Amino acid sequence: MRRCSPAAVSAAAAALLLTGCTGADAPERADAPAPTGPAASQPALAVPRAAEVLLPETSGTAGEQLPRFTPPEEAYTLYADCTGTGTVTIVDRSAGGGRHLVRCNGVTTVGVVHTPREAQHLAVQVTKGPATWRLTVVSGVQKG
């Protein structure tokens, strides 16, 4: 099995997180609990039905540190979207972690992050204006 350096993993994760998909390309939604916060009136993010949820759908309008989670595999898939004029960024708070832009207004960002099976420390940052964001994390590499 090939291993990548943390810098290579961050670069690959950044490239993947910058790739958005439209609703037509999205997999079926999981029957997840209703989101809370400002995005509660929107439909849930489209994740595969059989996916193991590591971080339930979370939403907000300001930056915040997300609950820690540990993927049971050496990868996890993050689904995120946002609306507004601000900039939303997912920040890996681990040593050497990266920053990943979430595209707003109409596109769901889907990114696969390859990482060791250890606690993940993510945060959301909102800058340059108002934005409402939501995200969820599931185990493994999900195929849409």
Side-chain angles (χ1 to χ4, degrees):
M1 186 162 127
R2 188 173 154 196
R3 297 279 181 196
C4 296
S5 70
V9 171
S10 293
L16 287 169
L17 279 171
L18 293 177
T19 304
C21 66
T22 63
D25 297 332
E28 292 185 23
R29 284 194 344 226
D31 293 325
T36 58
S41 62
Q42 299 176 357
L45 289 165
V47 300
R49 289 189 188 277
E52 176 186 353
V53 175
L54 301 176
L55 181 64
E57 189 168 306
T58 304
S59 64
T61 57
E64 72 177 72
Q65 292 184 11
L66 300 172
R68 293 180 184 180
F69 63 91
T70 302
E73 301 179 39
E74 291 186 336
Y76 62 87
T77 303
L78 185 140
Y79 295 82
D81 68 16
C82 58
T83 58
T85 59
T87 300
V88 176
T89 306
I90 307 296
V91 178
D92 181 346
R93 299 183 300 130
S94 305
R99 302 171 57 78
H100 314 291
L101 181 67
V102 176
R103 296 193 183 268
C104 288
N105 298 320
V107 177
T108 298
T109 298
V110 179
V112 175
V113 179
H114 295 273
T115 183
R117 286 182 275 182
E118 56 190 35
Q120 302 298 302
H121 312 273
L122 303 179
V124 176
Q125 287 184 338
V126 177
T127 58
K128 300 180 184 174
T132 299
W133 56 267
R134 62 188 177 153
L135 64 85
T136 190
V137 176
V138 299
S139 180
V141 176
Q142 302 300 314
K143 299 186 193 264

